[in-house]
Amino acid sequence: MNIKIIVICTYIALIYWLSLHISFLDTLFFPTIGAFSFLFVTRSFRFTEIGKITFGAFVSSMIGTLIFWVYPSSISLFVNVLFTMWLIKRLNWNAPPIVAVSLIPFFSHSAHPWLIPVSVCMVLLGLMLFLFLAERIEKLWAGSGITKFGLNLLIGSKAE
């Protein structure tokens, strides 16, 4: 099992736990975290590219929140998706989960809708931090000579 995957799954579980147990953090967990996590783990992005995608997610969640705040309807949802897709193409953000993040205000029904963009930004910055730490751990372990078999024993799975 890949260390990055274990670290990212731990992070997602932590975010979910926080969103359940601290009332004003209810917008902290959103299903798209899984899509962003998988995207960041499976592609070899530089952190500048991940930062650009995180910025795009923040902007799209701001746009979605603003449009929902102005007039929550199917028409505003259509405008939101259309504008977000245009931004993704125009600014070459190359991350479809950005569209999903812009839809959060339309289904979350949070008492704190303006925390949605802040939550998206915080969660994705945290995801970047955990991914960075996972990469460092992998490099340390690779440099210390821990083999795949030793790693599998360490995390409790059988050797392949």
Side-chain angles (χ1 to χ4, degrees):
M1 174 84 33
N2 188 326
I3 293 298
K4 287 181 196 173
I5 292 172
I6 293 169
V7 169
I8 296 304
C9 290
T10 303
Y11 177 71
I12 293 171
L14 173 68
I15 293 300
Y16 180 66
W17 184 87
L18 287 171
S19 72
L20 287 176
H21 290 86
I22 302 173
S23 64
F24 70 91
L25 295 180
D26 61 338
T27 60
L28 205 57
F29 179 79
F30 47 92
T32 316
I33 298 168
F36 278 109
S37 299
F38 189 74
L39 181 70
F40 291 172
V41 168
T42 58
R43 293 193 187 165
S44 58
F45 288 119
R46 294 185 313 254
F47 276 98
T48 55
E49 293 174 64
I50 292 174
K52 193 167 99 170
I53 291 169
T54 298
F55 177 73
F58 173 73
V59 168
S60 74
S61 65
M62 284 288 293
I63 291 167
T65 301
L66 178 65
I67 290 173
F68 180 79
W69 180 74
V70 169
Y71 186 67
S73 71
S74 299
I75 294 167
S76 59
L77 180 109
F78 174 80
V79 169
N80 175 48
V81 172
L82 188 65
F83 187 65
T84 303
M85 287 183 178
W86 176 81
L87 274 177
I88 289 171
K89 296 288 276 176
R90 176 91 171 121
L91 301 174
N92 198 25
W93 285 335
N94 195 22
I98 290 174
V99 176
V101 168
S102 77
L103 301 175
I104 294 172
F106 292 90
F107 67 83
S108 76
H109 307 293
S110 172
H112 315 287
W114 291 104
L115 286 180
I116 292 170
V118 174
S119 296
V120 166
C121 187
M122 298 286 291
V123 166
L124 292 179
L125 288 174
L127 182 62
M128 289 173 60
L129 175 65
F130 271 65
L131 186 58
F132 176 77
L133 293 173
E135 285 184 3
R136 295 292 171 218
I137 291 169
E138 282 183 341
K139 286 181 182 176
L140 279 172
W141 284 7
S144 68
I146 295 178
T147 63
K148 185 175 183 178
F149 178 72
L151 180 60
N152 285 335
L153 288 177
L154 187 64
I155 61 173
S157 61
K158 296 180 181 179
E160 295 176 5

